[in-house]
Amino acid sequence: MRVLVALKRVIDSNARVRVKPDKSGVDLKSVKMGMNPFCEIAVEEAVKLKEAGTASEVVAVSIGPKAAADSLRTALAMGADRAVHVLEDGEVQPLAVAKLLAAVAARESPGLVLLGKQSIDSDCNQTGQGLAGLLGWPQATFASSVEVSADKQTARVTREVDGGLETLELRLPAVVTADLRLNTPRYATLPNIMKAKKKKLDTLAPGDLGVDVAPRLRTLQVEEPAARKAGAILSSVDELVDRLKNEAKVI
Ligand SMILES: *[C@@H]1O[C@H](CO)[C@@H](O)[C@H](O)[C@H]1NC(C)=O
């Protein structure tokens, strides 16, 4: 069974995000970038399935500018077998990403597609769901555990839902999106980074996959979050109660 794992290159979760002066978006110039953390978890899960003998091949796919290939190399260093880079410099919105991934899935015929539950830059939480919809495949989002049956016909997925866990059984092929607690992604070691350089990485254009990636949504404005007001140190519980009562008026 082949596993296709999708990943996105985003601003590093520790980098300071700056809004462009014209408020048209976020400034990506000279900002540290890396693989979206939820995508790292998806890659780890795919590699674990390979190590367990469940997956015969792990194919990593990413859509984005030239530098997205760096994140694909990271996935290869983590243990993916080969990679597909859909090269696109412009903005690619979730619907277009889902269409591109559906086209790659049609070429690769995976038994399972793994993705992160959302990217930490646009926080859309749409790609996996859209992909499953386009393919007409079962989906399990926000997975905290994935078990593929011995005959590889089904997968049992535990999902983190409000107030508990939900366990689903899906017919394969299916789409699964990874939540935080699915696993702890490994680091790519130097020897594996060197080995990854020799692995196959194909580059395609959206047109090769017959997908029009023109944005369907227009961003009107992006703003910095409001600065937090300074706090106050109070000298007694009485003063705190007084302020809560008479200033904040919450009690
Ligand atoms: C993610 O999207 C689903 C719909 O596909 C929605 O039900 C869910 O509330 C969303 N979760 C978050 C955290 O945005």
Side-chain angles (χ1 to χ4, degrees), residues 1-3 48-56 148-149 152:
M1 179 180 82
R2 181 173 289 146
V3 174
K48 279 179 143 176
L49 287 169
K50 170 97 193 262
E51 288 169 344
T54 308
S56 50
V148 175
S149 64
K152 294 169 198 158

Side-chain angles (χ1 to χ4, degrees), residues 88 90-97 99 212-219:
E88 172 57 53
E91 183 190 5
V92 192
Q93 294 178 344
L95 177 62
V97 173
K99 288 179 183 172
D212 170 14
V213 297
R216 302 292 201 268
L217 302 172
R218 191 160 56 90
T219 301

